[in-house]
């Protein structure tokens, strides 16, 4: 962005405040974009106690609360359940427990692979650019850099499992 770096998120400068506000959003955007090996989690979801205001669905009568750190459900494992997400809940057509694999929120930057950390920094720069960079072409270059960096991180992480399809084909 051709700006001097902030010393920490706790700085009282407008640039540091904007960065501190947008960093969690940039991190989550990058985490949600892919089935990252370092953020993959397994859980057996027990049936949830249905909150009073939550209606019963005829097609999906069973309700499961998602883990607090769940950003994106990737798979319902080993069963032929039909399901859908509704807010903090997963509804399904079968009783639990329901095994899932999901992308969990990961806020410990020391655990990020280097390519992923770079992708987050590019995404953050692209998000901050409209306020802190004046030229539209520079903003466009930062957005392109963010997309390319994320794709490179995805390619790097893609080799963390044996070759298999998860769609059953």
């Amino acid at each position: 962005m051709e700006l001097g770096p902030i010393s920490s998120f706790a700085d009282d400068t407008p640039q540091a405040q904007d960065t501190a506000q947008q960093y969690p959003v940039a991190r989550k955007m990058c985490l949600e974009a892919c089935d990252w090996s370092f953020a993959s989690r397994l859980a057996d979801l027990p049936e949830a106690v249905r909150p009073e205001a939550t209606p019963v669905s005829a097609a999906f009568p069973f309700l499961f609360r998602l883990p607090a750190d769940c950003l994106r459900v990737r798979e319902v494992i080993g069963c032929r359940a039909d399901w859908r997400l509704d807010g903090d809940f997963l509804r399904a057509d079968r009783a639990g427990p329901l095994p899932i694999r999901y992308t969990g929120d990961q806020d410990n930057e020391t655990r990020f692979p280097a390519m992923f950390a770079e992708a987050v920094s590019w995404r953050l720069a692209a998000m901050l650019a409209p306020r802190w960079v004046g030229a539209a072409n520079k903003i466009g270059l930062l957005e392109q850099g963010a997309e390319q960096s994320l794709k490179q991180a995805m390619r790097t992480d893609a080799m963390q499992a044996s070759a298999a399809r998860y769609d059953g084909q």
Side-chain angles (χ1 to χ4, degrees):
M1 289 177 42
E2 297 180 11
L3 299 172
I6 61 172
S7 61
S8 79
F9 286 152
D11 285 358
D12 61 355
T13 66
Q15 184 181 344
Q17 291 171 355
D18 285 355
T19 303
Q21 179 186 27
Q22 293 302 312
Y23 172 76
V25 178
R27 184 190 75 240
K28 286 181 180 180
M29 287 174 71
C30 291
L31 283 167
E32 290 173 353
C34 183
D35 188 6
W36 303 102
S37 61
F38 68 93
S40 183
R41 308 277 187 276
L42 297 173
D44 285 327
L45 302 180
E47 289 183 48
V49 175
R50 186 175 305 278
E52 284 185 36
T54 305
V56 176
S57 168
F60 302 104
F62 301 98
L63 190 68
F64 305 88
R65 182 173 294 281
L66 293 170
D69 69 336
C70 181
L71 294 177
R72 172 114 355 142
V73 174
R74 299 295 176 179
E75 173 184 17
V76 174
I77 302 170
C79 63
R80 301 252 182 231
D82 287 331
W83 57 277
R84 75 164 189 246
L85 298 178
D86 283 342
D88 293 335
F89 294 96
L90 184 147
R91 293 179 184 267
D93 64 350
R94 79 169 197 84
L98 198 64
I100 66 166
R101 192 170 59 78
Y102 68 96
T103 299
D105 195 4
Q106 177 75 269
D107 60 1
N108 182 352
E109 294 88 6
T110 63
R111 307 261 339 238
F112 290 167
M115 295 297 289
F116 179 82
E118 182 177 344
V120 173
S121 66
W122 273 99
R123 173 53 47 210
L124 181 59
M127 291 170 67
L128 294 172
R131 176 165 181 196
W132 295 100
V133 176
N137 63 337
K138 285 185 182 180
I139 295 169
L141 289 172
L142 287 169
E143 187 61 42
Q144 281 181 328
E147 290 175 24
Q148 290 171 352
S149 181
L150 186 62
K151 286 179 184 175
Q152 180 61 41
M154 289 175 179
R155 282 190 296 273
T156 301
D157 193 66
M159 306 308 268
Q160 302 298 318
S162 58
R165 292 180 66 140
Y166 288 105
D167 61 6
Q169 296 182 3

